[in-house]
Amino acid sequence: MSQERDVAAALARVRERVEGAAKRAGREPFEIVVVGVAKRQPAERVAAAVRAGLRDVGESYVQEAGSKIPQVEARLEGRPGPRWHLVGRLQRNKAREAVRRFQLVHSVDRLALARELARHVTPAGRLEVLLQVDLSGEPQKGGVDPDALPELLAGCAALPELRVSGLMTIPAAAPDPESSRSAFARLRALRDRLAASPEGRTLRELSMGMSQDYEVAIEEGATMVRIGTAIFGPRETGS
């Protein structure tokens, strides 16, 4: 029960801070989706957050999600399961499993990956995706170069199996949350410019901001914030 209370209290604190940041920006809190990032978190802790009202859960690895998702949903005591997001980098050879496991993929950064995802979507289905943009210059994080983003968007828009609903970025790590503000503002500007084009008319979402800087991200227009340790606490040993 202690774990249940701790996770519920942490989620409540996050929601309070989301509400405060939204109000500072003249926005409504319901505009922001909190995605609880469960990388290397035990299934019971994740299920506790869902039982406390978390509706969106993110995983970084397809393989980890494959074992954890059924464990989490088995612990929900009849409650509906969350919407599952893939927030980590995705290899093409994991595309089939990603389509099976997730309702939203945040990390599409090349047309070859988009085409592979589309190939595995069921005939009657459609997969929601975000385009990851590299604004930090750190290749290990993935992301398309901003100059190549219009071409990627056009290519993805031509795939009827996918619905491109927005953009995602991971700024360079910094101890001061304010250091991320310029990257968040730049992603919003990219989204707004692309949204004026025929291919960009569905671009609503901005997935940006994590535990250390999500309030700044909300002030700059984030519609999804990806929060791990602020909800779940430290990751399991070996993460």
Side-chain angles (χ1 to χ4, degrees):
M1 287 301 295
S2 175
Q3 175 174 259
E4 190 94 11
R5 288 194 299 269
D6 290 348
V7 171
L11 179 60
R13 287 193 295 271
V14 166
R15 293 201 183 281
E16 287 176 4
R17 292 176 65 181
V18 166
E19 182 175 353
K23 288 182 176 178
R24 289 194 297 276
R27 303 176 61 196
E28 295 292 341
F30 66 77
E31 298 175 16
I32 297 105
V33 173
V34 173
V35 180
V37 178
K39 173 184 175 182
R40 298 285 190 261
Q41 296 289 350
E44 180 50 46
R45 196 175 297 165
V46 179
V50 176
R51 291 193 295 266
L54 183 68
R55 301 306 310 144
D56 293 81
V57 176
E59 286 286 353
S60 296
Y61 305 117
V62 174
Q63 185 172 354
E64 181 180 349
S67 60
K68 190 186 299 179
I69 288 173
Q71 293 176 32
V72 169
E73 295 188 342
R75 289 168 164 80
L76 294 183
E77 302 168 354
R79 294 175 174 85
R83 179 170 60 158
W84 291 94
H85 302 237
L86 179 63
V87 299
R89 295 191 74 177
L90 178 61
Q91 299 172 331
R92 286 176 60 191
N93 63 358
K94 300 288 177 57
R96 180 194 296 269
E97 282 300 306
V99 170
R100 286 182 56 205
R101 302 290 181 187
F102 298 98
Q103 287 78 59
L104 199 159
V105 175
H106 289 230
S107 49
V108 173
D109 59 1
R110 56 203 186 278
L111 188 54
L113 174 59
R115 286 173 173 157
E116 190 66 14
L117 287 167
R119 193 165 74 86
H120 296 294
V121 175
T122 60
R126 206 172 188 203
L127 178 67
E128 184 176 357
V129 302
L130 307 180
L131 304 184
Q132 182 175 352
V133 186
D134 177 15
L135 297 178
S136 69
E138 299 172 294
Q140 74 275 13
K141 290 182 176 176
V144 63
D145 185 273
D147 291 339
L149 180 58
E151 182 180 357
L152 176 60
L153 174 61
C156 291
L159 299 170
E161 299 87 355
L162 304 183
R163 182 168 72 89
V164 183
S165 61
L167 306 179
M168 184 270 257
T169 199
I170 305 173
D176 180 8
E178 285 293 329
S179 300
S180 300
R181 189 178 292 277
S182 61
F184 296 150
R186 190 178 177 195
L187 191 73
R188 185 188 69 242
L190 285 169
R191 190 276 312 271
D192 290 349
R193 184 162 66 247
L194 289 169
S197 68
E199 296 87 358
R201 63 187 181 277
T202 61
L203 296 179
R204 177 189 175 277
E205 308 293 354
L206 290 175
S207 171
M208 56 190 195
M210 296 184 284
S211 289
Q212 70 275 17
D213 57 16
Y214 67 90
E215 291 172 278
V216 173
I218 290 168
E219 292 169 0
E220 292 298 331
T223 64
M224 293 182 177
V225 290
R226 309 180 304 274
I227 303 176
T229 55
I231 294 174
F232 299 113
R235 295 169 183 161
E236 288 189 323
T237 303
S239 62

